[in-house]
Amino acid sequence: RFNVPYQLGSGLYDVRLAEEIKMDVEPEDVIVAGTDGLFDNVHDGELEELVRKGKQDHDFPSLLAMKIAEFALGKSFK
């Protein structure tokens, strides 16, 4: 239900219910992992734009991660 996340490993749900996704990746691909704090506040298109700009600016992964986190934090206050 609303505002109650589905939490694997919380004791309520069996971790074998986890969805496994396999994808081919290529050099220069960027994988973004995050929690609901990121994905509840940042739309896919916004995240894609942040990553594209970070790659264009030749940001190091840690700097790009910080920019994404700061963007998500800013959106959480709106």
Side-chain angles (χ1 to χ4, degrees):
R1 65 187 202 271
F2 176 74
N3 211 26
V4 180
Y6 183 76
Q7 298 176 346
L8 288 176
S10 66
L12 299 175
Y13 301 103
D14 188 329
V15 295
R16 292 174 290 182
L17 296 173
E19 182 179 356
E20 183 176 315
I21 301 171
K22 294 183 180 187
M23 302 182 82
D24 293 330
V25 294
E26 297 180 13
E28 305 299 320
D29 281 353
V30 175
I31 299 170
V32 177
T35 65
D36 58 346
L38 172 63
F39 297 115
D40 285 353
N41 291 297
V42 180
H43 296 285
D44 292 345
E46 293 171 319
L47 187 54
E48 183 178 355
E49 181 61 31
L50 289 165
V51 170
R52 285 183 190 276
K53 181 156 180 16
K55 287 181 71 173
Q56 178 184 345
D57 293 346
H58 304 287
D59 288 344
F60 287 104
S62 58
L63 178 58
L64 178 55
M66 183 64 71
K67 287 180 177 180
I68 291 170
E70 288 174 350
F71 185 80
L73 178 63
K75 293 221 30 195
S76 74
F77 291 118
K78 294 180 179 179

